[in-house]
Structure formats: C-alpha cells, structure tokens
C-alpha cells in the first residue's frame, strides 16, 4: 500500500513538473496586447516565518525576468504595462525531509495599465499567493534541493503564469470596446495611483525624435 501511494505521489509530481513548463507552447490569446513597462517594486517585501533572506533587488530581477519571458511572447500593437508589488515571501530553509519539509510561497499585488489611456484596466489591485507547486524537488522541501535563486525563479515563473491566466480570464478588458471606453476617461490621479497598492504609475513613453 505504501509503495502504491509513493508511486502515485511521484507520478503526480512528474505530471505537475511537465505542466509547469508551458512557455514553449503558443500563448493563450486574450486580445491585442504587447508588453510595455515591466515594473516590479519589492522594497516593502517582508519575509514570513522561517525563510532565507532575499533583497528587494533580487526579487525585482527575478520577477522582471519571469514577466518578460512570459509576456514578450505577445506581439500585439496595443501597449500595456504590468506593475507587480512584492508583499511577502517565505523561501524554504533546509528541514527534516517529508516530516518537516517547509514550502516556499510568494505574495504579490498586480496592476495592469493601458498605455494610451494612462489608466489601470483592473478596477482593484489583484493579489496573488503563489506556491512552488508539486515536483520531485518540493516533495521533500525545496530548502533541501534548491538554491535560493532557484526557489525565487520558480516562484516568479509561477507568479507570471498566474498573472497570465488572470488576464485570459478577463479578456473583456482588452476588447476594442473596452479600450475605446477607457480612452474617454481622464488619466488616473496621484491619489488613484497611491491606492493601487503603492505601485507607481508608469511615466508616459517619450515622444519620438524628430
């Protein structure tokens, strides 16, 4: 019975690991989209519970890389900016395998900006809680099997995938009708930006040189 259970766990881990690596597949369509600014702010990130320490700069680099890898696949004509604020994290430390195998987790807040309208497409900031997912490395705790950089890369890739899925679920934000409606509204004020989880509003793109 124990052997059967172990085989099932290992099979699930293998399937999960394969499903996680989807960047080689065509991106899920959600409208006319091209990635503009890729903004990550991690200065307020705090470790929760037992955790390896990571600097704001390390989180910003890891998440920017993951967001760029996922969203640069979209080759639309309409620019949108993605802003990610890192709220909290736990990077698993080495523990006792199986019995006490700590897991890594990341909490982020996300806003997406329409470049032309200078407004967010989402009415409220979206919060995500991101886990590493089940794999051969995490069954016994990634603190034992992964470096800090590897843990951060996995969490960042999973966060980018969740953001992608969220936009696909809300493809109505990217229809021509929604774009036209936002264009009629005034740009968001500084107070609106401050309410957006502290993620700064991207500056307008510079005018082309004459």
């Amino acid at each position: 019975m124990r052997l059967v259970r172990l085989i099932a766990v290992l099979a699930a881990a293998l399937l999960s690991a394969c499903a996680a690596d989807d960047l080689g597949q065509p991106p899920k369509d959600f409208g006319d989209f091209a990635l503009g600014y890729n903004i990550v702010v991690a200065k307020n990130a705090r470790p929760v519970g037992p955790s390896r320490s990571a600097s704001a700069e390390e989180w910003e680099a890891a998440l920017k890389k993951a967001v760029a890898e996922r969203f640069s696949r979209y080759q639309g004509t309409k620019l949108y900016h993605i802003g990610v604020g890192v709220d909290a994290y736990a990077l698993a430390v080495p523990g006792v395998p199986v019995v006490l195998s700590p897991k890594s987790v990341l909490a982020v807040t996300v806003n997406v900006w329409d470049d032309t309208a200078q407004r967010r497409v989402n009415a409220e900031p979206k919060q995500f809680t991101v886990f590493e997912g089940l794999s051969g490395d995490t069954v016994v705790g990634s603190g034992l099997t992964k470096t800090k950089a590897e843990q951060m890369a996995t969490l960042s890739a999973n966060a980018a995938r969740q953001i992608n899925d969220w936009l696909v679920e809300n493809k109505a934000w990217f229809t021509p009708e929604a774009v036209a409606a936002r264009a009629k509204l005034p740009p968001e004020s500084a107070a609106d930006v401050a309410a957006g989880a502290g993620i700064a509003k991207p500056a307008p793109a510079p005018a082309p040189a004459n």
Side-chain angles (χ1 to χ4, degrees):
M1 185 67 180
R2 290 181 180 177
L3 179 59
V4 172
R5 186 175 302 171
L6 177 59
I7 292 173
V9 169
L10 292 177
L14 179 60
L15 289 172
S16 177
C18 293
D21 185 13
D22 64 342
L23 289 179
Q25 303 298 319
K28 299 176 182 177
D29 177 60
F30 58 88
D32 185 9
F33 179 96
L35 179 63
Y37 294 112
N38 176 6
I39 304 166
V40 181
V41 178
K43 62 182 180 181
N44 296 321
R46 66 185 190 280
V48 177
S51 175
R52 290 166 165 165
S53 179
S55 68
E57 292 76 15
E58 288 174 311
W59 275 119
E60 289 167 6
L63 279 160
K64 283 183 179 180
K65 181 175 184 293
V67 168
E69 287 178 344
R70 180 160 291 275
F71 288 97
S72 63
R73 301 180 303 160
Y74 292 94
Q75 300 296 315
T77 61
K78 182 77 173 69
L79 281 179
Y80 293 90
H81 312 303
I82 296 178
V84 181
V86 183
D87 303 318
Y89 67 91
L91 296 173
V93 296
V96 179
V98 182
V99 178
L100 293 175
S101 54
K103 302 296 188 293
S104 298
V105 62
L106 173 66
V108 298
T109 300
V110 179
N111 286 298
V112 178
W113 295 84
D114 181 324
D115 177 72
T116 304
Q118 285 292 291
R119 296 185 64 86
R120 283 172 290 172
V121 303
N122 50 305
E124 298 292 335
K126 177 66 175 179
Q127 295 182 318
F128 294 94
T129 300
V130 184
F131 297 92
E132 290 177 287
L134 181 64
S135 72
D137 290 329
T138 59
V139 168
V140 295
S142 67
L144 290 168
T145 59
K146 289 185 176 182
T147 66
K148 178 181 73 174
E150 290 171 335
Q151 290 172 323
M152 294 175 72
T154 297
L155 288 169
S156 297
N158 289 349
R161 184 169 58 252
Q162 286 193 31
I163 295 168
N164 198 169
D165 290 342
W166 171 54
L167 298 186
V168 171
E169 291 168 4
N170 291 280
K171 60 177 64 178
W173 291 337
F174 305 95
T175 63
E177 294 78 11
V179 170
R182 282 193 299 270
K184 296 177 182 178
L185 299 173
E188 290 195 74
S189 67
D192 293 327
V193 176
I199 301 173
K201 175 181 174 182
N210 294 327

